[in-house]
Amino acid sequence: MSELMIEATDVSKKFGDVHALDGVSVTAKRGSVLGLLGHNGAGKTTLINILTTMLPPSGGSAKIAGFDVVRQGHEVRSRIGLTGQFAAVDEQLSGHDNLVLIARLLGASRNQAHQRADDLLEQFDLTEAAKRNAKTYSGGMRRRLDLAASLVGRPEVLFLDEPTTGLDPASRLAMWEIVEKLAADGTTVLLTTQYLDEADRLADTITVLSKGKVVASGTSAELKAQVGQRTVTVTLDSASDVDIAMKAVNAVGLHPVVEGLTLTTPVSASRDLATVVRALDDNGLEAHEIGLKEPTLDDVYLTLAAN
Amino acid sequence: MATLTWHGSSYPTQVLVLTGRSLRALLRTPALVFFSVLQPLIMLTLFSQIFSSITSTANFPPGMTYINYLLPAILVNTAMQSSLASGIGLVQDMSNGVLARFRSLPIRPSTVLLARNLSDAVRTAFQLVLMIAFGVLVFGFRPDGGMVGTLAALGLALVVGWALSWVFIAIAAWVRKAELMQTVGFLAMFPLMFASSAFVPVGGLPGWLQAIAKVNPLTYAVDAARSLALAHPVTGVVGALATSGAIAAVGAFFAVRGFRRPLSL
Ligand SMILES: Nc1ncnc2c1ncn2[C@@H]1O[C@H](COP(=O)(O)OP(=O)(O)O)[C@@H](O)[C@H]1O
Ligand SMILES: [Mg+2]
């Protein structure tokens, strides 16, 4: 089972002057989960749009289940499910009618469509709300209905664009479990996320996107090894201290990333810890907390996606 | 466990299912239906009262009641307004999110447009029937053409509205802004409506308006509908139908092209 279900080669996309994607290549084997990790604006949605035939690429090529996304759009669309960043449900219809509609469009008979809708509503815990207008659904319910809608045709490849952004912790966990179950059942999944724990937990392989380019890819273990760096984190007491510390640490040749009151910088040797401490000390700063950490996926993300 | 998978339906099924979807959505929002009927009804009521003294002017066909003169024009006008609503409906669909869903399915994009057009034709037919019912029951509409002539006028208005609906769907597919379309559509239709034979005979208009009215396609549509309902010698019906067909074809062509462009622009 090493068949490639997602195969993007050197895909690029320009919007006017904006290079939303610049030579991106990703692959996913049948039944695997590919995590696409990146900040806002990294190009995640654009890549999904190209892979799902919503947008033509400006360059490169991509195949889904062996079908070319440009030339064989119809073939691709009959094998995929897409849950976009914004719920693509008909707010004027009930949850049940939404699912029946899709099943009918996919070629199910009336009976089959109703059966499938009922099954999915049950599976996604929406049976009670089945007859209500989707307009009245909460964010989590709408997201579940949207996901159910993309599963009506039992897609071979499922695309999930930031499936848990904006969800409460319980709904988030529920979404994770759904994805895990789908993957276990053999669905190939591409999911984008801004959250590391999500990619770490769900994805077999992770591709880190930054400004339209792949900055790292591999299993989470490989990514950590690829970075192969330890990091020093310094937490300070105030924002003004952060500014001073930033300058001081820059002056000794390190380039930390700031998150709140915490500076994180990859270091190549443990004596760099001493260098950092000395730099702070020289500027009369006292760190609230300081430490040397072994690489985690967080650091991969911070170091790679930030520059 | 059945592991049936479906990979797409036939073109007619797609159109039928999507048309059903639009109609169902309409039924679930009765307020919308109510207002879409209310507007032409207000027009019918007001105009039939305000302009009724026109019947005594020199240019008005002698012996005709104003409601008999007015109603065919109201039919055409209602169908025209309804066609604008059709374009706006498409823009709303595009922001509804459900169109994004349709795009990811193995269906032909043109079916979405065709369904929009057909379901709006059904809605328009409903509006027109109601207008006629009110005309007959409340305002004393008694056309010489009788039931057959009135239905023929309804059919003509429907065809005109159906053709214009393609124009507005095309505009919607390119412009994609509901407010803009609403404003521009209204600004275009309002003068067209009055600079025509819709409410007063063209002969009674001042010279410069007459000039406009005589080249205003609405005049021809209204005259044709009127001739059917009132059993006058039928004028311009074939012309109106042919023009509608041509307009629909051009509109549909550009609609499909415009709609093909990605949603996120
Ligand atoms: N339709 C568009 N027109 C112009 N620029 C766009 C369009 N879509 C995306 N972009 C730009 O492309 C870049 C990548 O966007 P996107 O793929 O949405 O990122 P992400 O999903 O990772 O947040 C951003 O700079 C964004 O502003
Ligand atoms: Mg995005």
Side-chain angles (χ1 to χ4, degrees), chain A residues 49 54-56 74 77-80 82 87-94 97 101-108 112 116 131-133 146 149-150 152-154, chain B residues 1-9 13-15 17-18 21 24-26 28-29 32 93 96-98 100-109 262-264:
Chain A
N49 281 341
M54 305 289 111
L55 276 180
H74 190 89
R77 284 191 292 276
S78 67
R79 283 166 179 81
I80 61 169
L82 168 62
V89 300
D90 196 333
E91 311 223 310
Q92 294 170 303
L93 296 184
S94 70
D97 288 352
L101 171 67
I102 308 230
R104 295 281 287 140
L105 287 173
L106 287 174
Q112 289 171 328
R116 183 79 180 131
K131 295 272 182 300
R132 262 166 45 201
N133 260 18
D146 196 30
S150 38
V152 169
R154 298 186 179 83
Chain B
M1 242 327 254
T3 46
L4 270 176
T5 48
W6 308 297
H7 289 307
S9 50
T13 305
Q14 291 168 28
V15 174
V17 168
L18 289 172
R21 170 244 158 200
R24 184 171 304 219
L26 200 64
R28 292 184 75 106
T29 42
L32 269 184
D93 275 348
N96 175 320
V98 71
R101 166 70 55 206
F102 292 161
R103 291 219 164 202
S104 71
L105 298 176
I107 61 172
R108 299 272 293 275
L263 271 186
S264 57

Side-chain angles (χ1 to χ4, degrees), chain A residues 40-41 43-46 85 161-162 192:
Chain A
N40 254 332
K44 304 182 295 296
T45 301
T46 305
Q85 227 168 324
D161 199 358
E162 301 199 20
T192 76

Side-chain angles (χ1 to χ4, degrees), chain B residues 4-143:
Chain B
L4 270 176
T5 48
W6 308 297
H7 289 307
S9 50
S10 69
Y11 196 90
T13 305
Q14 291 168 28
V15 174
L16 221 66
V17 168
L18 289 172
T19 306
R21 170 244 158 200
S22 294
L23 290 175
R24 184 171 304 219
L26 200 64
L27 285 180
R28 292 184 75 106
T29 42
L32 269 184
V33 181
F34 178 75
F35 284 110
S36 75
V37 174
L38 189 65
Q39 200 211 2
L41 193 60
I42 288 175
M43 201 153 125
L44 180 64
T45 310
L46 283 179
F47 287 10
S48 66
Q49 308 306 305
I50 295 171
F51 291 129
S52 58
S53 60
I54 282 170
T55 50
S56 56
T57 60
N59 288 294
F60 202 82
M64 190 186 296
T65 64
Y66 188 63
I67 184 68
N68 281 2
Y69 183 82
L70 175 68
L71 200 104
I74 293 278
L75 295 183
V76 173
N77 193 63
T78 303
M80 204 169 81
Q81 302 283 348
S82 182
S83 67
L84 173 60
S86 184
I88 288 165
L90 182 66
V91 178
Q92 278 160 355
D93 275 348
M94 288 197 230
S95 57
N96 175 320
V98 71
L99 274 203
R101 166 70 55 206
F102 292 161
R103 291 219 164 202
S104 71
L105 298 176
I107 61 172
R108 299 272 293 275
S110 59
T111 58
V112 175
L113 302 178
L114 199 53
R116 177 86 253 159
N117 180 266
L118 289 178
S119 62
D120 285 325
V122 172
R123 187 196 49 174
T124 308
F126 172 73
Q127 285 174 298
L128 297 184
V129 167
L130 269 183
M131 286 313 115
I132 292 170
F134 271 104
V136 171
L137 298 175
V138 181
F139 299 103
F141 178 60
R142 299 284 181 279

Side-chain angles (χ1 to χ4, degrees), chain A residues 96-146:
Chain A
H96 179 85
D97 288 352
N98 261 288
L99 299 181
V100 169
L101 171 67
I102 308 230
R104 295 281 287 140
L105 287 173
L106 287 174
S109 72
R110 253 194 203 91
N111 283 339
Q112 289 171 328
H114 284 276
Q115 185 60 51
R116 183 79 180 131
D118 289 338
D119 288 350
L120 283 166
L121 288 164
E122 164 130 34
Q123 191 182 331
F124 286 90
D125 202 17
L126 289 167
T127 305
E128 268 173 45
K131 295 272 182 300
R132 262 166 45 201
N133 260 18
K135 204 186 302 183
T136 66
Y137 284 17
S138 70
M141 290 164 77
R142 212 174 288 210
R143 204 70 78 91
R144 293 207 298 280
L145 178 61
D146 196 30

Side-chain angles (χ1 to χ4, degrees), chain A residues 2 28 38 70 102 107 124 161 207 215 218 230 296:
Chain A
S2 63
V70 177
I102 308 230
F124 286 90
D161 199 358
T207 293
V215 290
R230 289 186 266 189
T296 69

